[in-house]
Amino acid sequence: MAEYNFQDIEQKWQKYWTEEKIYEVSNQSNKPKYYILDMFPYPSGAGLHVGHPLGYIASDIVARFKRLNGYNVLHPMGFDSFGLPAEQYAIQTGQHPAITTDENIDRYKEQLKALGFSYDWSRELRTSDPKFYKWTQWIFKLIYNSWYNNETDRAEHIDSLTSHLEKNGNIHIDAACDLDTPTISAKKWNNYSEKEQQLFLLKYRLTYQAETTVNWCPALGTVLSNDEVKDGFSERGGHPVVKKNMPQWSMRITAYADRLLSGLDKIDWPEPIKEMQRNWIGKSYGADIDFKVEGSDQKITVFTTRIDTIYGVSFLVLAPESELVTGLTTKDQKKKIEEYISIAKNRSERERMSDAKNVTGTFTGSYAIHPFNGEKIPIWIADYVLAGYGTGAVMAVPSGDQRDFDFAKKFDLPIPLINDAQKLTDTEADPTKEGKIINSDFLNGLTPVEAMEQGIEEVEKRSIGVRKVNFKLRDAIFGRQRYWGEPIPVYYEDGIPKLVPDEELPLDLPKINEYLPTEDGDPPLGRAENWNHNGQPYELSTMPGWAGSSWYFFRYMDQDNDHEFCSKEAMNYWQDVDFYMGGSEHATGHLLYSRFWTKFLCDMEIIEVDEYAKKLVNQGMIQGRSNFAYRINGENKYVSKGLKSQYKTSPIHVDVNIVKDDILDIEAFKSSRPDAANAEFILEDGKYECGWEVEKMSKSKFNVVNPDELVERYGADTLRMYEMFLGPIEQSKPWNTNGIEGVYKFLRKFWSLFHMDAAFSISDDEPTKDEWKVLHGTIKKVAEDAERLSLNTSVSTFMIAVNELSSLKCNKRGILEPMSIILSPFAPHITEELWHLLGHATSVVDAAYPSFEEKYLVEDSIEYPVSVNGKMRVKISFPADATKEQVEEGALAHEIIQKWMDGKEPRKVIVVPKKIVNIVV
């Protein structure tokens, strides 16, 4: 077999692609555009493991396939380079995060380039580059200077709001604003001081400062978003998170809630992602109802979607964080309330909502008055009510809601029935919407649906509430009390935020001597010298991790433009992302915030699209395949897997890189573990066999496989094809290095088709019918697979095709040249080498995908299995256009069939056209 020297080949062509700028793309082309994008990675210090390139390989195949099909393909790569790990490392070592980040990026780029990706590296961007975050700051300023006009259903410049206030006040303004925004006249507005006007406008601005309940992580020294907190601990680092009220920048994403929902219907994104966003946004219809507090002018407003159950209310429940709690707490309940709040604030919202088993709460000592029947209702606090949803208060209907039912049972509260179809048990409520309403005065006899509408009408008639559409979506926290992030382009005059002028952007991160909060508790930027604008202090918080990722896809279109966000020409040409690849874990973070910013930029007429990605694909996770050695308890002995049942053992994780086909390299194991240096090994047939298990790929499980080692051993083309061969791109699958040899052998076999006696040898003879059939079957199948993203079946198709061509001893140019083109998206290095050996002076990337011709797949003959009395005796070929009669006649005349009929006349002959013949005698 001719030598396939993949190391030399891959280095040679990677150098050629770089020097010849093969993958650089122009913003001006007569070709149709195709913009394919990977979610850019955070450059961690560990670099890539074999799970990371999965999505990159798939998108690269699609990018190359589209280029072969005549598209001008934009396929860029960059780095989401602000992040907590680099800052944590800076705190530990004193090394500036920029140095750590640059080192990590260099490592990532080295690994990515080694895999032969067709990225246009001339468009590389980094969110921590001032040339990039200049425009992130610019967008922040745009958002700050905007408000959301519900009448026009879009964001507008703040000047249109101030113009209205000057003439008419805000009486007729329908806008997204703070709930406590007062109604003012034009006169009052015009009499406001400059400071008063600016404070009032903060209630409308799409970016604003407000006292907010946040997830505070003391160990990380920063605020975390809800999707960064898991079960009361930070997702990164596992540090405790507590609820805390503090002044915080926020973005009014809630203004876009309806548009974010409706926009899901026009994008080709995975349904689970859409459903997660729908649930996160959480649109519901109902009413706000006012409950007066006994002996007070105070009232508690409750949002409900089930006003038909209003007569089933037997108590109210407030969120522990509610501002109302302090005023409602009586002296004798104060200690209990304070203790309860202290515990509740240390639990995340997700934890509180999912923990249905532990029922807790405390009575405030106060009562509300039922708005319809006038009865006294006790007011409690409980952590199953969240301050962020609705009004932070719940009217408890224990007969129809399980949590309310459990609470009422625990604290011995009434459980009135309100529906004749309810079937309560000792442990379960019944939320049925069947039956008729009972025990409910004017609602009696109505169905729940009828009662909902009737109830809302009555609430508005009595002026005790209003019809309401509610959302679970909350405004997005937009600030971190950390150093390594985009500076917020704001300074303060007399406590009022002012924007840094455009000509002074970017506002660069200043150098500081330590990356911890100051002794006064200020964020690390408080340590910076001269951190002020003409003597006025700059903002000390930095932007959150999702700021740069909310718009980076537009910057790739015109990454070197220092004068504008993106030129109109570039924007008009590329418009949006045609194919976006990334993980589903970003469903309610990046994938939601980026849609919000896109809609805002569209409102501002900066861009012309209000959804940035037509199609989204979520790649599955490659899981680790862990190996185990079995140590005999109490001894320094290890027993092979097949013998462990004879001993009491404990499994020990083994580095998978010293295991091959589950056989342990004992000497390498001894070297890797000092405690095993003198260990005894009980073997099977002279070998130590490890156990295995599928787990998450992580260092702690010693199951991380470095792609560098596989590229060194098998080549990048082998790794690319093997990762695709593992299974459908959207599904998670376990990694098993044992199977990679098969793909490597396939590529060597493909290489051998072009060689004879170790020399390149190709024939210009006309291909045979069978050879044409193999080629065109492959052209058709791979093209269909690429459109469906069924890339694993393409690899199987290639293997079958090469086996068939090898059997046919095919070395015809007419077959192998187009086969090289078809294979090139999957294995770009070997095909580039062969393409040039075939005599081409330009890259295979610029070839045209071969045209499929149906005629080569049309069968001239059909092979029929022929059975006698149900047993297949022979296969006979007939012309494809043979009639049933001709097939029957030919089958009966065949000598083998004559033998099995033994001179008998057939009782029945069944011919299934183009399938089978069955003869009954």
Side-chain angles (χ1 to χ4, degrees):
M1 182 180 285
E3 183 182 4
Y4 165 43
N5 191 338
F6 61 83
Q7 289 177 331
D8 289 347
I9 289 171
E10 292 180 355
Q11 289 175 13
K12 169 185 175 181
W13 293 112
Q14 287 168 14
K15 185 172 182 286
Y16 167 81
W17 294 331
T18 300
E19 291 177 350
E20 297 299 319
K21 302 180 179 179
I22 295 297
Y23 301 126
E24 290 190 16
V25 63
S26 170
N27 288 348
Q28 295 178 334
S29 174
N30 293 325
K31 295 178 180 179
K33 70 94 180 181
Y34 197 83
Y35 183 1
I36 184 164
L37 182 64
D38 300 297
M39 288 184 189
F40 60 175
Y42 173 76
S44 69
L48 299 173
H49 64 59
V50 291
H52 294 129
L54 180 69
Y56 303 155
I57 295 169
S59 64
D60 193 60
I61 290 170
V62 175
R64 290 173 177 274
F65 176 78
K66 289 294 183 182
R67 185 161 174 173
L68 292 174
N69 281 276
Y71 287 86
N72 187 32
V73 177
L74 174 57
H75 188 35
M77 175 52 77
F79 298 93
D80 195 7
S81 49
F82 278 128
L84 289 176
E87 184 157 1
Q88 288 299 104
Y89 188 73
I91 291 170
Q92 295 163 10
T93 66
Q95 177 168 289
H96 195 285
I99 297 173
T100 307
T101 300
D102 287 346
E103 290 173 352
N104 293 348
I105 288 175
D106 289 343
R107 172 75 178 125
Y108 261 66
K109 287 180 69 174
E110 178 187 10
Q111 290 183 292
L112 292 170
K113 288 182 177 182
L115 288 168
F117 293 129
S118 60
Y119 294 132
D120 181 351
W121 284 108
S122 72
R123 294 177 185 254
E124 177 193 345
L125 55 80
R126 305 177 183 188
T127 56
S128 57
D129 183 347
K131 289 188 295 184
F132 177 85
Y133 69 67
K134 166 186 178 178
W135 298 103
T136 309
Q137 293 172 336
W138 178 78
I139 295 170
F140 172 91
K141 289 183 61 183
L142 282 180
I143 299 173
Y144 180 82
N145 271 333
S146 300
W147 66 294
Y148 200 90
N149 187 340
N150 287 332
E151 285 189 19
T152 59
D153 199 21
R154 60 183 296 136
E156 298 178 8
H157 194 277
I158 201 74
D159 288 350
S160 66
L161 176 64
T162 55
S163 175
H164 197 102
L165 291 169
E166 288 169 1
K167 297 172 185 175
N168 307 299
N170 66 350
I171 297 171
H172 301 296
I173 292 176
D174 183 7
C177 58
D178 292 355
L179 291 175
D180 63 353
T181 303
T183 300
I184 63 169
S185 64
K187 182 179 180 181
K188 188 167 187 178
W189 166 262
N190 292 318
N191 286 334
Y192 274 164
S193 66
E194 168 67 15
K195 181 175 181 178
E196 288 172 326
Q197 288 185 343
Q198 291 304 317
L199 287 172
F200 188 80
L201 289 176
L202 281 175
K203 295 181 177 296
Y204 288 91
R205 292 183 188 273
L206 288 181
T207 283
Y208 61 94
Q209 271 189 321
E211 189 81 13
T212 309
T213 301
V214 297
N215 299 309
W216 174 252
C217 181
L220 294 177
T222 192
V223 170
L224 300 177
S225 61
N226 286 336
D227 60 294
E228 294 174 311
V229 180
K230 307 293 182 188
D231 302 325
F233 294 87
S234 63
E235 190 174 38
R236 185 172 295 279
H239 303 294
V241 176
V242 299
K243 292 290 182 183
K244 182 178 179 180
N245 286 330
M246 60 189 300
Q248 192 67 248
W249 283 99
S250 294
M251 285 204 170
R252 215 178 292 275
I253 188 175
T254 48
Y256 285 84
D258 254 328
R259 286 171 61 186
L260 289 168
L261 272 177
S262 61
L264 292 171
D265 295 332
K266 66 179 185 179
I267 50 179
D268 181 12
W269 286 23
E271 193 55 39
I273 294 288
K274 291 184 178 184
E275 196 58 26
M276 280 189 271
Q277 291 202 358
R278 289 186 189 109
N279 292 336
W280 191 261
I281 295 167
K283 185 175 185 178
S284 54
Y285 300 88
D288 277 347
I289 306 175
D290 296 332
F291 287 75
K292 290 183 178 179
V293 176
E294 183 188 37
S296 166
D297 292 333
Q298 194 173 7
K299 63 183 179 183
I300 298 171
T301 301
V302 172
F303 174 76
T304 179
T305 60
R306 293 292 306 274
I307 199 169
D308 57 303
T309 65
I310 186 69
Y311 281 91
V313 177
S314 58
F315 57 100
L316 295 185
V317 187
L318 302 181
E321 310 91 331
S322 172
E323 296 176 352
L324 300 174
V325 172
T326 301
L328 293 170
T329 302
T330 58
K331 287 183 180 179
D332 57 334
Q333 292 296 110
K334 184 177 181 182
K335 185 177 180 182
K336 290 181 180 180
I337 290 288
E338 288 175 347
E339 288 174 352
Y340 187 83
I341 291 173
S342 177
I343 295 170
K345 73 178 183 181
N346 292 323
R347 303 181 75 203
S348 70
E349 291 187 359
R350 186 180 279 106
E351 183 183 9
R352 285 161 59 175
M353 293 308 292
S354 62
D355 185 13
K357 293 181 180 179
N358 297 314
V359 179
T360 62
T362 301
F363 179 44
T364 64
S366 294
Y367 291 85
I369 304 301
H370 194 290
F372 285 111
N373 61 25
E375 294 180 2
K376 287 172 57 175
I377 303 171
I379 304 170
W380 291 67
I381 66 168
D383 66 2
Y384 75 90
V385 179
L386 303 178
Y389 180 66
T391 62
V394 167
M395 60 176 219
V397 183
S399 68
D401 180 272
Q402 190 61 44
R403 282 215 154 180
D404 295 346
F405 179 89
D406 294 339
F407 195 91
K409 282 283 189 180
K410 172 80 177 278
F411 297 106
D412 197 25
L413 295 165
I415 306 177
L417 291 172
I418 35 84
N419 189 302
D420 63 8
Q422 281 182 308
K423 293 180 173 59
L424 274 61
T425 69
D426 287 340
T427 58
E428 290 185 351
D430 185 357
T432 183
K433 290 184 181 179
E434 304 297 325
K436 300 291 181 67
I437 302 297
I438 59 173
N439 303 324
S440 300
D441 194 25
F442 67 95
L443 298 177
N444 284 339
L446 299 177
T447 66
V449 173
E450 293 169 340
M452 288 178 200
E453 182 57 32
Q454 184 70 33
I456 292 174
E457 290 178 1
E458 191 66 21
V459 161
E460 292 188 318
K461 179 180 175 183
R462 300 190 188 195
S463 299
I464 54 174
V466 293
R467 190 184 299 270
K468 185 78 176 288
V469 176
N470 205 46
F471 295 90
K472 285 199 297 186
L473 182 68
R474 301 272 66 87
D475 284 343
I477 301 296
F478 195 79
R480 276 186 170 164
Q481 289 62 50
R482 298 300 295 253
Y483 171 74
W484 191 232
E486 300 93 336
I488 295 175
V490 162
Y491 62 94
Y492 293 90
E493 282 186 8
D494 193 21
I496 300 298
K498 301 283 186 177
L499 295 175
V500 174
D502 283 353
E503 59 271 18
E504 296 181 25
L505 297 181
L507 176 61
D508 288 339
L509 266 177
K511 291 184 178 180
I512 57 175
N513 58 5
E514 198 175 349
Y515 302 97
L516 291 167
T518 68
E519 290 73 12
D520 297 330
D522 286 334
L525 284 181
R527 298 179 178 276
E529 294 183 9
N530 301 316
W531 187 237
N532 63 76
H533 184 272
N534 299 326
Q536 305 299 328
Y538 282 127
E539 170 63 51
L540 298 182
S541 296
T542 52
M543 296 187 193
W546 55 267
S549 65
S550 292
W551 74 279
Y552 76 108
F553 30 84
F554 291 120
R555 188 60 178 172
Y556 282 130
M557 299 175 184
D558 197 14
Q559 81 292 345
D560 289 329
N561 193 331
D562 291 332
H563 306 294
E564 55 189 332
F565 162 87
C566 180
S567 71
K568 286 289 185 183
E569 293 76 17
M571 187 67 67
N572 290 340
Y573 181 68
W574 294 111
Q575 294 188 347
D576 53 13
V577 177
D578 295 281
F579 183 107
Y580 197 26
M581 174 73 77
S584 60
E585 66 272 18
H586 303 291
T588 57
H590 157 63
L591 289 172
L592 189 62
Y593 298 138
S594 52
R595 294 183 60 227
F596 159 44
W597 276 35
T598 299
K599 291 182 185 299
F600 169 77
L601 291 170
C602 183
D603 286 352
M604 293 291 103
E605 299 181 353
I606 305 296
I607 60 177
E608 295 184 1
V609 296
D610 71 346
E611 294 287 350
Y612 68 90
K614 291 189 182 84
K615 181 179 181 66
L616 171 70
V617 175
N618 298 136
Q619 79 273 17
M621 181 187 296
I622 288 187
Q623 299 162 302
R625 187 182 186 274
S626 302
N627 280 115
F628 298 91
Y630 300 94
R631 185 166 58 197
I632 299 174
N633 294 344
E635 300 184 50
N636 195 18
K637 291 182 180 179
Y638 291 83
V639 60
S640 187
K641 174 187 172 185
L643 304 175
K644 71 183 181 71
S645 61
Q646 302 172 28
Y647 307 86
K648 289 186 177 180
T649 63
S650 298
I652 305 294
H653 277 97
V654 176
D655 186 347
V656 295
N657 295 292
I658 60 173
V659 177
K660 185 172 183 182
D661 295 333
D662 293 331
I663 302 302
L664 177 67
D665 182 334
I666 294 174
E667 293 306 315
F669 180 68
K670 287 181 176 181
S671 300
S672 70
R673 294 182 63 98
D675 61 334
N678 299 311
E680 180 183 339
F681 290 80
I682 302 173
L683 311 179
E684 298 176 79
D685 301 325
K687 299 176 181 178
Y688 188 96
E689 184 180 353
C690 294
W692 65 272
E693 185 177 318
V694 174
E695 301 180 288
K696 182 179 179 181
M697 196 172 281
S698 70
K699 287 182 180 178
S700 65
K701 302 183 188 301
F702 298 93
N703 61 4
V704 172
V705 179
N706 190 323
D708 302 3
E709 295 175 12
L710 295 176
V711 169
E712 179 72 23
R713 194 184 312 169
Y714 299 105
D717 287 343
T718 297
L719 179 59
R720 287 168 64 105
M721 294 196 72
Y722 183 58
E723 293 222 5
M724 295 300 95
F725 189 55
L726 288 173
I729 186 67
E730 297 94 342
Q731 293 181 11
S732 293
K733 69 277 291 184
W735 177 264
N736 186 352
T737 305
N738 299 344
I740 200 170
E741 289 276 0
V743 176
Y744 179 55
K745 289 176 182 176
F746 154 75
L747 286 174
R748 290 172 62 201
K749 200 168 189 177
F750 181 69
W751 177 262
S752 295
L753 290 174
F754 296 76
H755 295 79
M756 184 178 294
D757 299 327
F760 183 76
S761 178
I762 207 79
S763 167
D764 289 319
D765 292 347
E766 178 67 19
T768 67
K769 172 184 153 186
D770 288 339
E771 290 168 343
W772 283 124
K773 180 180 177 183
V774 172
L775 172 64
H776 283 271
T778 307
I779 292 171
K780 182 174 188 288
K781 183 68 167 66
V782 172
E784 292 172 348
D785 286 347
E787 295 295 342
R788 295 196 305 262
L789 216 62
S790 299
L791 305 179
N792 56 312
T793 58
S794 287
V795 179
S796 300
T797 299
F798 286 128
M799 291 178 170
I800 293 167
V802 168
N803 284 338
E804 291 178 346
L805 292 174
S806 297
S807 298
L808 295 168
K809 295 184 169 45
C810 175
N811 72 334
K812 311 282 178 56
R813 177 184 295 274
I815 301 298
L816 299 186
E817 188 169 85
M819 280 293 292
S820 298
I821 299 171
I822 303 166
L823 182 60
S824 65
F826 294 79
H829 304 88
I830 189 174
T831 49
E832 190 75 83
E833 175 74 8
L834 293 169
W835 185 250
H836 282 75
L837 287 174
L838 285 163
H840 297 280
T842 56
S843 173
V844 69
V845 168
D846 294 319
Y849 192 83
S851 298
F852 167 64
E853 295 187 49
E854 181 72 39
K855 67 181 181 182
Y856 291 111
L857 300 188
V858 175
E859 299 286 352
D860 293 333
S861 62
I862 305 292
E863 189 175 59
Y864 283 79
V866 183
S867 301
V868 178
N869 290 339
K871 291 188 177 180
M872 202 276 287
R873 298 302 183 184
V874 69
K875 292 181 179 179
I876 307 172
S877 289
F878 292 96
D881 58 355
T883 64
K884 287 178 65 174
E885 291 75 17
Q886 289 170 331
V887 172
E888 179 179 334
E889 182 181 341
L892 291 172
H894 197 279
E895 59 181 339
I896 294 178
I897 297 303
Q898 288 285 323
K899 171 189 168 185
W900 287 103
M901 289 175 64
D902 195 23
K904 297 175 184 176
E905 287 294 321
R907 286 192 289 147
K908 184 185 293 185
V909 179
I910 303 168
V911 178
V912 180
K914 299 184 179 181
K915 296 289 185 183
I916 61 168
V917 178
N918 190 18
I919 301 169
V920 181
V921 295

